[in-house]
């Protein structure tokens, strides 16, 4: 059975779990979802979701537990939101461990502090979607020579969702909505792999 792991280190883990379960039910596919914390659990997954939270802390735990190596060695697709977006990149504006699996540079807290958090309707997959931005990062740059990079969404002329291969990075929090479209998209990426 195909398994999606929700990296259970910090952040909106239960929200990602719940919306992923709902997406699986809506799709009617034979996929399992479970929280994972250690490298051996990650190795049993066909896809991993990394939620928001404190990217430095999550990055250090991923590094210390060897989760980064397991993801790279097994070429496991990763869907990262907020802090997850930062971790997927090759570079950020702070010295911290990164997964280094997407050719992107991400700026932390680019939309401001906690008090500057906001919601706005965004467009993704040619549909309106409720964008929830909490201390959100921003894509600063990406390798435009890579043919496997696709811009999925922009807001105020800034890229807020990007895909490279089967990996997806988003600056907002789709798990804090009732809309399953984005999680369904990731599940399909995993199934099609």
């Amino acid at each position: 059975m195909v398994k999606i792991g929700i990296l259970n280190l910090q952040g909106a883990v239960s929200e990602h779990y719940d919306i992923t379960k709902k997406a699986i039910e809506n799709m009617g596919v034979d996929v399992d979802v479970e929280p994972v914390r250690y490298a051996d659990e990650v190795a049993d997954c066909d896809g991993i979701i990394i939620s928001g939270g404190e990217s430095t802390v999550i990055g250090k735990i991923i590094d210390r537990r060897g989760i980064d190596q397991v993801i790279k060695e097994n070429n496991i697709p990763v869907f990262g939101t907020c802090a997850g977006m930062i971790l997927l990149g090759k570079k950020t504006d702070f010295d911290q461990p990164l997964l280094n699996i997407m050719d992107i540079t991400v700026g932390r807290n680019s939309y401001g502090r906690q008090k500057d958090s906001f919601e706005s309707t965004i467009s993704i997959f040619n549909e309106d979607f409720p964008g929830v931005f909490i201390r959100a990062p921003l894509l600063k740059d990406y390798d435009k020579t890579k043919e496997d990079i696709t811009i999925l969404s922009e807001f105020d002329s800034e890229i807020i969702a990007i895909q490279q291969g089967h990996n997806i990075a988003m600056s907002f929090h789709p798990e804090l909505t009732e809309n399953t479209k984005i999680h369904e998209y990731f599940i399909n990426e995993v199934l099609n792999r």
Side-chain angles (χ1 to χ4, degrees):
M1 177 185 287
V2 172
K3 184 194 295 184
I4 306 286
I6 313 295
L7 198 57
N8 185 12
L9 302 180
Q10 188 194 45
V13 174
S14 63
E15 290 85 352
H16 267 297
Y17 177 83
D18 292 343
I19 197 89
T20 303
K21 287 284 282 186
K22 186 176 172 183
I24 291 166
E25 290 169 15
N26 290 348
M27 296 170 73
V29 293
D30 193 18
V31 175
D32 189 26
V33 59
E34 67 180 54
V36 293
R37 297 175 57 94
Y38 298 97
D40 60 331
E41 296 170 330
V42 171
D44 287 337
C45 295
D46 301 287
I48 292 291
I49 297 176
I50 304 176
S51 66
E54 172 43 56
S55 63
T56 307
V57 172
I58 297 170
K60 286 180 179 178
I61 297 170
I62 285 172
D63 184 56
R64 188 177 320 122
R65 293 186 180 173
I67 293 169
D68 53 341
Q69 295 306 314
V70 169
I71 288 172
K72 290 175 188 175
E73 288 166 8
N74 295 295
N75 197 26
I76 299 171
V78 180
F79 170 29
T81 62
C82 199
M85 178 186 206
I86 296 165
L87 291 164
L88 282 166
K90 291 192 179 268
K91 191 175 176 186
T92 189
D93 49 6
F94 189 77
D95 184 23
Q96 67 177 83
L98 300 171
L99 284 170
N100 194 20
I101 58 175
M102 290 181 72
D103 294 298
I104 59 175
T105 300
V106 182
R108 295 170 23 135
N109 301 332
S110 296
Y111 282 101
R113 303 174 71 81
Q114 190 81 19
K115 65 184 175 86
D116 300 313
S117 299
F118 66 96
E119 293 184 32
S120 185
T121 300
I122 63 167
S123 177
I124 188 163
F125 312 129
N126 298 313
E127 292 182 29
D128 285 346
F129 191 91
V132 179
F133 295 81
I134 303 171
R135 291 177 49 220
L138 188 63
L139 188 97
K140 296 291 188 184
D141 196 15
Y142 68 97
D143 187 342
K144 294 163 188 68
T145 68
K146 300 289 183 177
E147 293 181 9
D148 63 341
I149 289 182
T150 305
I151 306 305
L152 300 177
S153 182
E154 294 183 41
F155 178 74
D156 286 344
S157 302
E158 299 287 357
I159 297 168
I160 57 170
I162 190 166
Q163 179 172 352
Q164 184 171 15
H166 295 291
N167 300 307
I168 302 167
M170 297 185 175
S171 61
F172 56 98
H173 290 269
E175 76 279 9
L176 299 180
T177 75
E178 294 298 314
N179 192 318
T180 62
K181 290 294 183 192
I182 292 174
H183 285 74
E184 289 176 27
Y185 182 85
F186 179 65
I187 292 165
N188 275 321
E189 285 296 310
V190 173
L191 291 172
N192 292 333
R193 183 171 170 264

